[in-house]
């Protein structure tokens, strides 16, 4: 208590006298700091404003970018044309019917009127949908002009049309597997259509350059005429041999271009429901099969190329080849020593087996890798199947069976691409569906065989058509050469005796090969009871039928008189 | 309208109160009511209440809160201080109580039920805490015999401990930030300020390591792929859908799936339906209110008034910034209501108390007012 008065007095004195200056000082500092806090808040709110501006700009993009369905539905695609400029796929304008339920005055009336044009619409559901307050609703995508006119004349408020692009394929199923398909929003979902989306169209659309017409037509290596010939031959053969499926591929051996490729049953790209049907898958690229004796061409090539055998060597085919408890038989047994050409034209399993045993599994693996059999073949088509190959190290028995095309499953396109190297002078050219010149092809090509080996193979193929199992593939004047393959199908884990998958790998003209043709036919039945159903009896004539039709289109000059065959003209007249 | 010659308390109030801030406040409350029509029915329907449940409650609270703002703005600084002291003591007592009798909602005990009303004591603590802290700091620098700063630190420790105990880390951070601003304004040396800044960074790091949900949220913010960012993703989508001009009232769809669309994420709902331009306008209302408040603080000669006004404005500013920042995904997800706008009785009334105190303190004080009457002298004084 005694201390208080002096303290109070001191305080009072300070307030009255000296404190004024000190106060002002502290006050000034404090007020300056208030300004600092104001500056801080200005910065913070500025950051919010900046962020909102960024979002606003982003949303403007978002609203007219590919993200919204409005845009994706209307987006246009480039035409797809074949190598000669024939249209394979194009956009046409269609109308889609939509409703704005909140603007509909009388949902009941609107429902009845709509149902009079579209009897298939569910009335109860439609009435319910139209009675809501929602802003937008698609009623039917892709209506016909007639339906559009009918709806238009009914004059229902709150019902309108949105013009959309619809993909149309004039050829229907002709090149279905190559072209693929688009979904209802005109986005590629399969085949080249998908390739177009993934390779450049999406980027173009994102950049806003694909909004309307003016996209360059997208040209393929495919020739529509060849494609049509292949497909009709396949369809005819399917009917003729009551087969389950068939594949046909034509490749340019100089450029690796796929000129035609068909796999039936196929789908009509205009009908999306067919695209998803599993039985209609693209067997040419997705299906992997044991290709059977067509593989003997590759085995012979590797034996000759590596020097394991010469064209003059002979192999013992007197008795079945016993290996690891299995006995390898010949289908057309000769029961004697066979020369290399004889092994080839008689399609000797024993002889081919002995050939590969002489070469060894390491060489076989090396060459199979070069032929592209051991890895998945990637082309522009998104659909592809990975080969099924035995695990390393390969046993002798699997090495021998692979020599004649069993125990290894590859896709037909993979076989065709490897086959190209057998006859074009020994270079492997990755197959493509886009146009490619010979110079461009040489840049991506890689040598797998010596040119001499390829020469031998050409002669062997030709010999097989002249004298061996491929006689039925012959087309007078066009020097066809080829190799049959009759593979027994695996049913319930065992090779079946009566279910086959036949193939024929051919090239023409064999003196200077230009095109390769591969045909595969699944489970053909004998044409007539009593005769067989081996490849020579169905796959070979299919190849003949295809080549007969496409060779003139492709500008391959026939020899009027083929010294190896009967005169072409005479034969033509005889028919 | 009201004559300057009129000497009734109403007229005196009208001529002394900051009418710009009052107007902004009332506009914000009105906006909150309108926006609740957009944001609340979706939530109410989702949790099975009548669709206007929250709207009606908001419509009850908002005018009440507006009235509270006006009522409190009649107080003199001394009355504000006393009211704040009472409010602080009551709310601190209730915050202790809430730890024992509070209802646990989403893992926290923040709510106390009084006769059918749910109250969040920590909301009412905030404005009172700011005013009292400002007073302690002011007294501390004015009168060396009062250990003001020490008491302010003590008060902060008590409040922070109670908030962490609930736990309510959002409020804790906000309280710390406002206290830090007051500390900064109290004129302490820059070295001390820097030291405090270091301590708060360390505290943040500690929270990051101690509380799993804090570290999770911050990790998620820094690396969105590390976890569920549904809320902020949906919020951002609202902005993208809305664009500059919005989809239109009632057209929003994000609010149907956005949790807390009527409280913490009301800003995103506004963005979708009314557009980013309206969001910017809303933000400008807050910015205007806060900067106007701070300008008032700048003009004050009295340390207590300057500190209290600045603290209250800072609180509104920080809270609105954090809320909008979370909605815009420039801050880690943190539950924080948007003052005046978000639904919530306690939040609405707490903002009213804050604003009422602010307006009361920023009124031109009586002695100034007297000297203002001769017009010539007015220029020199203000």
């Amino acid at each position: 208590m005694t201390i208080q008065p002096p303290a109070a007095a001191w305080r009072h004195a300070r307030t009255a006298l000296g404190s004024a200056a000190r106060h002002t000082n502290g006050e000034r500092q404090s007020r300056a700091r208030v300004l600092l806090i104001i500056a801080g808040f200005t910065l913070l709110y500025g950051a919010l404003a900046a962020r909102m501006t960024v979002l606003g700009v982003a949303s403007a993009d978002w609203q007219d970018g590919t993200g919204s369905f409005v845009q994706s539905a209307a987006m246009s695609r480039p035409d797809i044309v074949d190598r000669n400029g024939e249209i394979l796929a194009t956009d046409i304008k269609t109308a889609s019917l939509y409703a704005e339920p909140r603007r509909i005055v009388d949902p009941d009336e609107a429902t009845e009127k709509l149902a009079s044009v579209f009897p298939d619409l569910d009335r109860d559901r439609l009435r319910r949908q139209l009675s809501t307050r929602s802003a937008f609703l698609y009623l039917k995508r892709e209506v016909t002009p007639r339906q559009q006119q009918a709806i238009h004349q009914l004059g229902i408020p709150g019902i309108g049309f949105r013009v959309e692009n619809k993909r149309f394929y004039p050829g229907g199923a002709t090149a279905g597997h190559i072209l693929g398909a688009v979904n209802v929003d005109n986005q590629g979902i399969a085949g080249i259509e998908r390739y177009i989306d993934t390779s450049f169209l999406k980027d173009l659309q994102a950049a806003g350059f694909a909004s309307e017409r003016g996209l360059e037509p997208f040209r393929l290596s495919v020739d529509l005429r060849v494609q049509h010939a292949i497909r009709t031959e396949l369809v005819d053969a399917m009917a003729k041999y009551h087969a389950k499926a068939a594949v046909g591929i034509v490749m340019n051996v100089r450029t690796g271009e796929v000129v035609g490729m068909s796999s039936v049953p196929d789908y009509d790209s205009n009908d999306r429901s067919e695209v998803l049907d599993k039985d209609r898958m693209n067997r040419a690229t997705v299906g992997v099969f044991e290709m059977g004796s067509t593989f003997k061409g590759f085995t012979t090539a590797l034996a000759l190329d590596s020097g394991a055998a010469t064209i003059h060597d002979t192999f013992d085919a007197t008795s079945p080849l016993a290996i690891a408890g299995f006995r390898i038989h010949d289908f057309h047994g000769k029961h004697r020593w066979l020369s290399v050409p004889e092994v080839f034209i008689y399609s000797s399993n024993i002889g081919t087996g002995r050939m590969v045993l002489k070469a060894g599994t390491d060489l076989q693996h090396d060459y199979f890798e070069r032929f592209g059999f051991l890895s998945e073949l990637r082309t522009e088509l998104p659909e592809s199947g990975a080969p099924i190959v035995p695990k390393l190290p390969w046993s002798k028995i699997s090495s021998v069976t692979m020599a004649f095309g069993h125990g290894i499953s590859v896709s037909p396109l993979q076989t065709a691409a490897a086959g190209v190297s057998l006859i074009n002078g020994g270079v492997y050219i990755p197959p493509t569906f886009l146009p490619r010149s010979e110079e461009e092809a040489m840049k991506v090509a890689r040598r797998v065989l010596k040119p001499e080996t390829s020469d031998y193979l050409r002669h062997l193929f030709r010999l097989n058509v002249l004298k061996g199992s491929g006689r039925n593939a012959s087309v007078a004047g066009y020097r066809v050469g080829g190799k049959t393959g009759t593979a027994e199908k695996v049913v319930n884990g065992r090779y079946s005796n009566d279910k086959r998958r036949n193939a024929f790998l051919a090239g023409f003209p064999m003196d200077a090969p230009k095109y390769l043709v591969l045909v595969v036919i699944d489970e053909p039945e004998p044409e007539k009871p009593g005769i067989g159903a081996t490849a020579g009896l169905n796959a070979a004539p299919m190849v003949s039928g295809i080549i007969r039709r496409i060779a003139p289109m492709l500008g391959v000059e026939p020899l009027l008189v083929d010294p190896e065959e009967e005169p072409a003209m005479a034969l033509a007249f005889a028919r | 309208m009201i004559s300057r010659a009129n000497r009734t308390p109403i007229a005196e109030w009208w001529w002394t109160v900051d009418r710009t801030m009052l107007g902004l406040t009332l506009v914000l409350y009105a906006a909150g009511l309108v926006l609740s029509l957009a944001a609340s029915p979706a939530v109410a329907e989702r949790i099975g209440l009548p669709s206007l449940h929250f709207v009606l409650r908001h419509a009850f609270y908002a005018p009440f809160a507006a009235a509270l703002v006006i009522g409190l703005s009649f107080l003199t600084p001394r009355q504000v201080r006393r009211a704040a002291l009472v409010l602080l003591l009551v709310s601190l007592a209730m915050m202790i109580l809430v730890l024992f009798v509070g209802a646990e909602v989403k893992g926290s005990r923040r709510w106390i039920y009084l006769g059918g009303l749910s109250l969040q004591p920590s909301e009412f603590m905030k404005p009172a805490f700011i005013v009292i802290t400002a007073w302690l700091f002011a007294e501390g620098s004015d009168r060396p015999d009062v250990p003001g700063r020490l008491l302010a630190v003590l008060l902060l420790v008590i409040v922070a401990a109670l908030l962490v105990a609930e736990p309510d880390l959002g409020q804790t951070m906000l309280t710390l930030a406002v206290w830090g601003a007051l500390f900064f304004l109290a004129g302490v040396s820059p070295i001390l300020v820097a030291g405090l800044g270091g301590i708060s960074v360390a505290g943040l790091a500690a929270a990051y390591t101690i509380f799993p949900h804090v570290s999770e949220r911050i990790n998620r913010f820094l690396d969105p792929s590390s976890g569920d960012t549904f809320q902020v993703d949906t919020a951002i989508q609202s902005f993208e859908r809305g664009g500059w001009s919005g989809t239109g009232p009632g057209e929003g769809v994000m609010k149907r799936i956005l949790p807390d669309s009527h409280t913490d994420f009301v800003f995103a709902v506004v963005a979708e339906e009314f557009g980013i331009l309206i969001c910017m306008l809303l933000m400008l209302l807050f910015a205007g209110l806060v900067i106007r408040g701070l300008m008032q603080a700048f003009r004050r000669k009295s340390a207590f008034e300057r500190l209290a006004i600045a603290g209250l404005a800072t609180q509104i500013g920080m809270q609105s910034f954090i809320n909008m920042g979370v909605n815009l995904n420039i801050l880690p997800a943190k539950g924080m209501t948007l003052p005046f706008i978000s639904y919530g009785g306690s939040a609405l009334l707490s903002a009213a108390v804050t604003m009422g105190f602010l307006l009361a303190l920023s009124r031109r004080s009586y002695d100034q007012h007297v000297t203002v009457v001769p017009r010539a002298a007015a220029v020199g004084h203000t």
Side-chain angles (χ1 to χ4, degrees), chain A residues 14 23 27 29-31 33-36 38 41 44-45 48-49 51-53 55-57 59 63 102, chain B residues 142 144 184-185 187-188 236 240-241 243 251 276 279-280 283 294-295 298 306 317-318 320-321 328 330:
Chain A
R14 192 194 64 183
H23 253 242
E27 189 184 310
Q29 187 194 32
S30 177
R31 287 172 66 169
R33 289 186 179 185
V34 171
L35 287 181
L36 268 178
I38 291 177
F41 270 113
L44 291 183
Y45 283 116
L48 290 181
R51 172 68 173 162
M52 278 192 264
T53 310
L55 283 174
V57 171
S59 86
Q63 281 175 341
R102 63 172 44 183
Chain B
D142 278 0
F184 176 64
L185 292 176
V188 289
I236 288 301
E240 284 175 344
R241 269 186 55 81
E251 288 293 301
I276 289 172
C279 281
M280 285 186 168
M283 189 205 77
L294 288 168
M295 287 309 293
F298 177 72
R306 182 171 58 242
M318 286 307 292
S320 63
F321 171 74
L328 288 163
I330 58 174

Side-chain angles (χ1 to χ4, degrees), chain B residues 358-381:
Chain B
L358 210 169
L359 286 171
L361 292 169
S362 62
R363 276 170 64 200
R364 274 181 280 179
S365 53
Y366 185 70
D367 52 332
Q368 282 175 316
H369 182 71
V370 169
T371 50
V372 160
V373 176
R375 289 191 75 83
V379 185
H381 256 278

Side-chain angles (χ1 to χ4, degrees), chain A residues 280-440:
Chain A
R280 296 176 191 274
M281 72 162 187
N282 185 359
R283 288 174 170 78
T285 57
V286 178
V288 293
F289 309 111
E290 296 182 315
M291 295 303 294
S293 302
T294 46
F295 257 53
K296 284 172 186 158
F298 303 110
T299 305
T300 310
L302 81 88
L304 292 175
D305 198 62
S306 65
T310 69
I311 197 76
H312 305 296
D313 283 355
T314 53
F315 291 89
D316 180 10
T318 49
S319 54
L321 174 61
I323 189 161
F326 293 91
R327 290 163 73 81
I328 311 292
H329 296 270
D330 273 357
F331 192 73
H332 316 274
K334 294 291 170 195
H335 308 293
R336 61 178 172 86
W337 284 70
L338 298 172
S339 67
V340 168
E342 281 175 326
V343 167
F344 193 78
I345 66 171
Y346 297 137
S347 198
S348 168
N349 296 339
I350 303 167
T352 316
R354 289 198 191 283
M355 232 183 267
V356 85
L357 286 177
K358 204 171 166 193
T361 44
D362 287 347
L363 259 178
Q364 188 187 23
H365 183 272
D366 183 31
Y367 273 90
F368 273 23
E369 189 147 38
R370 292 198 215 171
F371 286 130
F373 289 146
L374 304 185
S375 51
E376 190 173 332
L377 173 63
R378 290 272 175 201
T379 63
E380 291 83 7
L381 296 193
E383 301 88 5
S384 67
I388 302 169
V389 184
K391 280 203 184 79
L392 284 173
W394 291 346
S395 64
K396 282 214 165 125
I397 180 68
S398 63
S399 169
V400 168
T401 57
M402 278 191 282
F404 51 87
H406 283 76
I408 179 168
S409 298
V410 298
S411 72
L413 187 60
Q414 229 169 341
T415 313
V420 162
S421 67
L422 293 184
I423 58 175
N424 73 352
V427 289
Y428 181 92
I429 310 172
T432 179
F433 291 87
L434 307 184
R436 187 197 268 164
S437 69
E438 284 191 32
E439 293 75 40
E440 287 164 346

Side-chain angles (χ1 to χ4, degrees), chain A residues 23-24 26-28 30-31 34, chain B residues 76-78 80-81 131 134-142 182 185-187 293-311 360-368 381:
Chain A
H23 253 242
T24 328
E27 189 184 310
R28 193 179 296 141
S30 177
R31 287 172 66 169
V34 171
Chain B
T76 63
R78 179 184 293 268
V80 167
R81 204 159 60 213
V131 171
W135 177 60
L136 288 173
F137 274 130
E139 287 297 296
S141 56
D142 278 0
L182 289 174
L185 292 176
L294 288 168
M295 287 309 293
Q296 286 281 5
F298 177 72
R299 290 199 199 104
R300 292 289 127 174
K301 280 194 161 40
S302 146
F304 161 65
E305 286 172 22
R306 182 171 58 242
L307 285 178
I309 293 171
L361 292 169
S362 62
R363 276 170 64 200
R364 274 181 280 179
S365 53
Y366 185 70
D367 52 332
Q368 282 175 316
H381 256 278

Side-chain angles (χ1 to χ4, degrees), chain A residues 72-96:
Chain A
S72 64
M75 88 183 190
S76 57
R77 307 180 61 80
D79 286 351
I80 303 178
V81 296
D82 84 340
R83 62 185 304 123
N84 303 315
E86 296 289 334
I87 285 190
L88 300 175
T90 188
D91 275 351
I92 53 173
K93 301 272 181 212
T94 60
S96 283

